[in-house]
Amino acid sequence: MSGYLHPAPGDIRLTTVLAALGDPVRIAIVRALAAAEIGLNCSAAGPIENVPRSTLSHHFRVLREAGVISMVKKGVENINTLRRADLDDRFPGLLDQILRSSCADLGPDSAGASTSPPEAPAASAAP
Amino acid sequence: MSGYLHPAPGDIRLTTVLAALGDPVRIAIVRALAAAEIGLNCSAAGPIENVPRSTLSHHFRVLREAGVISMVKKGVENINTLRRADLDDRFPGLLDQILRSSCADLGPDSAGASTSPPEAPAASAAP
DNA sequence: TACCGTAGTTCCAGAATACCGAACTATTGG
DNA sequence: CCAATAGTTCGGTATTCTGGAACTACGGTA
């Protein structure tokens, strides 16, 4: 059936799921899959941004191995679906909550915004 | 003289928060801070596991720069508190949902697909 | 003052992972 | 068979994670 390896529902771990969703490209993929309630191939689920296909493939693999999506080869393409039931069963309400929250995260996209550098000359100011 | 640099509430990004929480050590820290509703120093908030201090310091920095925790130097120690208000303001319900879900993530794996919600928060106290 | 112990940070290496171009592997259609 | 499509895998480089050793900062004690 599914040609790829997916974790069993009981093996889905919260930290792995959160780490998988903690990436702008990957959460965009998940949001696209959640919006289209049917399976999408990688091109349709990937964001319109200029993401190379090898990088996209990597992101799909992370999502798949985290148990967030399910991937089934169908002809020349891969059909990706959100593992909603498995996620809701293991972490009830989590996925919906994150998808709802992600609406507030749209805006100045990641990378290079000079408004808030994540690293700073740390620690104690002048004593 | 607040000490360390924290992102402004409006600069807290969902993907950064999820990435910060997508680590076993870091979510253990957040759970400890959530359980003890007061500030904890790094030693008290850190998991009992054998995590070196340098690694722990790194994890606290990631949480701080993600906007998850706030760190204030107080004497010889750092007092860490969860930025509950800021997180709830930006992503309402998200933190509670994740903390609730993280109870299901304890242990190596759960046998079978059972919809039993684990409601046994055993140890909760810190001295 | 000096000295000591505690609490964290910083520095430096090595391991692990992320990114992306290029080459490769199916599968479908002409 | 040949070409096009859809993704994967393979390289090198870049970034991050991990942990030991050294360091800074503060409080207490003479």
Side-chain angles (χ1 to χ4, degrees):
Chain A
M1 278 241 301
S2 54
Y4 297 96
L5 276 103
H6 301 76
D11 287 340
I12 300 177
R13 314 211 50 125
L14 178 69
T15 52
T16 311
V17 170
L18 294 181
L21 298 180
D23 181 279
V25 172
R26 291 199 290 260
I27 207 166
I29 291 171
V30 170
R31 274 167 49 79
L33 290 177
E37 289 165 0
I38 59 170
L40 296 177
N41 63 15
C42 296
S43 304
I48 310 106
E49 311 167 29
N50 203 7
V51 182
R53 294 201 310 212
S54 55
T55 303
L56 216 51
S57 182
H58 163 70
H59 285 313
F60 275 101
R61 189 162 76 100
V62 171
L63 287 171
R64 173 165 47 81
E65 292 179 350
V68 176
I69 68 172
S70 145
M71 210 174 197
V72 177
K73 200 162 175 92
K74 180 166 181 275
V76 73
E77 61 195 359
N78 288 341
I79 300 299
N80 302 279
T81 52
L82 212 49
R83 292 181 65 176
R84 233 182 218 293
D86 292 334
L87 290 170
D88 282 348
D89 184 59
R90 190 131 170 78
F91 310 116
L94 179 67
L95 181 62
D96 283 335
Q97 180 64 62
I98 290 176
L99 290 176
R100 209 163 23 243
S101 301
S102 66
C103 299
D105 199 49
L106 301 176
D109 231 33
S110 65
S114 57
T115 48
S116 61
E119 189 147 10
S124 43
Chain B
M1 73 189 235
S2 53
Y4 298 94
L5 279 142
H6 302 76
D11 286 340
I12 299 178
R13 316 210 72 225
L14 178 70
T15 52
T16 312
V17 170
L18 294 181
L21 297 180
D23 180 280
V25 173
R26 291 198 290 260
I27 206 165
I29 292 171
V30 170
R31 273 166 50 79
L33 290 176
E37 290 165 0
I38 58 169
L40 296 177
N41 63 16
C42 295
S43 304
I48 312 106
E49 310 166 32
N50 204 8
V51 182
R53 294 190 171 275
S54 54
T55 304
L56 216 51
S57 184
H58 163 71
H59 286 312
F60 274 101
R61 189 162 78 102
V62 171
L63 287 171
R64 174 166 45 82
E65 293 178 350
V68 176
I69 68 172
S70 147
M71 209 173 198
V72 176
K73 201 163 176 94
K74 178 168 182 275
V76 74
E77 61 195 0
N78 288 342
I79 300 300
N80 302 279
T81 51
L82 213 48
R83 293 181 66 177
R84 236 183 216 290
D86 292 334
L87 291 170
D88 281 348
D89 184 59
R90 188 131 170 79
F91 311 116
L94 179 68
L95 182 62
D96 282 335
Q97 180 64 63
I98 291 176
L99 290 175
R100 208 159 28 240
S101 301
S102 66
C103 299
D105 198 50
L106 300 175
D109 71 328
S110 305
S114 66
T115 46
S116 54
E119 284 189 346
S124 62

